[in-house]
């Protein structure tokens, strides 16, 4: 059975228009959020399973929480690393990796820190919010550790770091996850690259994001103002849905391959 039969008729019709826009584009940008990893078993931030104990992500993903209780914040990241280490890229990640090889100019801008796009084979990736698998010196002395289970062949049973353990830098300071916390500025070069790519895009694909976190959420509108066709892939409406040209309502692991099959 054609898997797209599970999609609404409106989405099946819109797939043709979306494929035409992409086929005629010189430069395509995909902006992804936590939704693209949901099918891989990585909880989204604001959807089901996004909570850890009684905490919302915004309560833990900030410098004040880390300074106040680094062990609790590290326990949350260790739990997330464990969840991600047990997951695999899904058909949506793999489709975007193929589009990068197939289209003349394709850039992936992701808000996700899970590293699954790279695992799926994407190379031209702008990681807006950092990468959960790197740890850096909290005092920014320059020490950076890559603790990815895929690169370092770590025993997937081990935990990063052991619960309650506080990883320390060689300079004596604490280590912290190399991610952008709420209230922290994004790396200027990384953000600048994302803005340049979105501003130059003929098509922007907005995949699996609630469109609530800035400055990432401003990129689709920036692309649209610069003449790009905007396509949203999401299982539910978001604040961006009103302003995009094409809405593809459905799970990215189903919609992206269906879109690719029409190119
Ligand atoms: C900044 C890394 C300048 C960490 C993340 C007050 C003080 C300070 C700043 C602010 C403030 N008020 C507002 C701000 C700005 C703030 C912000 O935007 N807050 C929001 C909540 C209002 N932004 C910042 O702080 C940024 N920095 O502005 O610096 C500055 C500095 C100081 C003072 C002022 C300004 C930094 C933001 C980065 C935060 N770090 N992650 C970590 O991961 O631990 S953000 C975090 O949210 C993740 O990266 C995540 O990707 C991102 C966005 O969420 P989504 O990806 O969209 O995920 P979500 O769960 O929300 O939605 C999932 C979607 O998928 C849903 O729509 C769902 O329907 C869909 N879906 C589900 N399944 C599927 C699917 N779609 C398709 N297929 C499926 N199968
Ligand atoms: Zn250090």
């Amino acid at each position: 059975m054609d898997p797209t039969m599970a999609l609404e008729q409106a989405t099946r019709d819109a797939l043709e228009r979306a494929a035409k826009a992409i086929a005629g584009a010189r430069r395509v940008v995909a902006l992804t959020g936590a939704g693209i990893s949901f099918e891989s078993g990585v909880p989204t931030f604001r959807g089901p399973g996004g909570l850890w104990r009684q905490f919302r992500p915004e309560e833990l993903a900030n410098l004040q929480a880390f300074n106040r209780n680094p062990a609790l914040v590290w326990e949350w990241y260790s739990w997330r690393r464990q969840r991600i280490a047990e997951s695999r890229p899904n058909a949506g990640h793999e489709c975007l990796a193929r589009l990068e090889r197939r289209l003349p100019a394709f850039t992936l801008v992701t808000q996700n820190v899970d590293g699954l796009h790279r695992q799926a084979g994407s190379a031209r990736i702008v990681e807006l919010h950092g990468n959960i698998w790197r740890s850096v010196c909290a005092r920014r002395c320059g020490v950076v550790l890559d603790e990815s289970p895929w690169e370092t062949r770590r025993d997937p049973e081990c935990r990063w770091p052991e619960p309650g353990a506080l990883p320390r830098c060689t300079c004596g300071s604490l280590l912290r996850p190399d991610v952008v916390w709420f209230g922290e500025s994004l790396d200027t070069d990384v953000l600048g690259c994302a803005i340049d790519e979105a501003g130059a895009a003929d098509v922007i694909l907005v995949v699996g994001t609630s469109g609530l976190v800035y400055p990432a959420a401003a990129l689709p509108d920036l692309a649209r103002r610069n003449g790009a066709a905007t396509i949203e892939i999401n299982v539910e409406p978001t604040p961006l849905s009103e302003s995009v040209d094409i809405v593809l309502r459905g799970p990215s692991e189903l919609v992206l391959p269906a879109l690719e099959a029409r190119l």
Side-chain angles (χ1 to χ4, degrees):
M1 188 252 243
D2 173 4
T4 55
M5 293 312 285
L7 298 172
E8 299 163 9
Q9 183 57 48
T11 294
R12 291 209 299 277
D13 298 343
L15 275 168
E16 299 303 337
R17 281 190 295 130
K20 209 164 160 191
I22 292 172
R26 275 176 318 106
R27 300 179 67 146
V28 176
V29 166
L31 171 68
T32 62
I36 197 166
S37 295
F38 182 71
E39 178 69 15
S40 295
V42 180
T44 63
F45 274 70
R46 293 160 190 88
L51 287 182
W52 177 72
R53 297 195 188 151
Q54 75 282 12
F55 297 105
R56 286 184 302 108
E58 284 86 352
E59 292 173 278
L60 295 171
N62 69 67
L63 186 58
Q64 294 70 27
F66 182 74
N67 290 335
R68 195 172 46 247
N69 190 341
L72 177 71
V73 172
W74 260 121
E75 214 177 322
W76 178 49
Y77 279 93
S78 175
W79 174 78
R80 289 173 66 192
R81 283 178 169 182
Q82 194 71 32
R83 292 290 298 266
I84 299 164
E86 291 156 3
S87 69
R88 290 285 167 271
N90 63 57
H93 296 105
E94 288 161 353
C95 176
L96 291 181
R98 288 194 299 271
L99 288 185
E100 175 182 323
R101 294 190 288 271
R102 175 172 176 176
L103 297 178
F106 178 92
T107 303
L108 174 58
V109 178
T110 187
Q111 300 171 84
N112 299 343
V113 298
D114 57 30
L116 289 179
H117 283 302
R118 197 170 306 282
Q119 272 307 104
S122 290
R124 266 180 71 80
I125 309 176
V126 180
E127 291 184 321
L128 288 174
H129 297 154
N131 189 302
I132 199 170
W133 292 110
R134 285 193 305 270
S135 300
V136 290
C137 174
R139 218 177 4 217
R140 306 285 180 185
C141 78
V143 165
V144 179
L145 300 178
D146 181 342
E147 304 194 280
S148 138
W150 308 300
E151 308 307 328
T152 53
R153 295 275 170 273
R154 290 186 73 125
D155 169 6
E157 289 312 309
C158 85
R159 298 179 65 79
W160 306 267
E162 285 308 315
L166 275 181
R168 287 211 173 265
C169 178
T170 46
C171 77
S173 158
L174 284 174
L175 287 172
R176 58 166 279 178
D178 190 17
V179 297
V180 180
W181 278 331
F182 287 100
E184 292 185 324
S185 297
L186 279 65
D187 175 282
T188 41
D189 294 340
V190 169
L191 181 57
C193 177
I195 288 171
D196 290 349
E197 291 294 340
D202 301 309
V203 172
I204 186 166
L205 269 171
V206 185
V207 187
T209 180
S210 58
L212 296 173
V213 173
Y214 284 83
L219 292 173
D221 202 45
L222 167 72
R224 187 176 55 77
R225 287 200 311 278
N226 283 275
T230 50
I231 302 167
E232 181 184 50
I233 297 175
N234 202 309
V235 292
E236 62 186 19
T238 73
L240 300 169
S241 302
E242 289 301 309
S243 57
V244 296
D245 297 308
I246 300 173
V247 171
L248 300 175
R249 181 72 63 241
S252 45
E253 63 276 7
L254 184 57
V255 172
L256 278 169
L259 183 56
E260 181 191 17
R262 287 159 174 76
L263 287 179

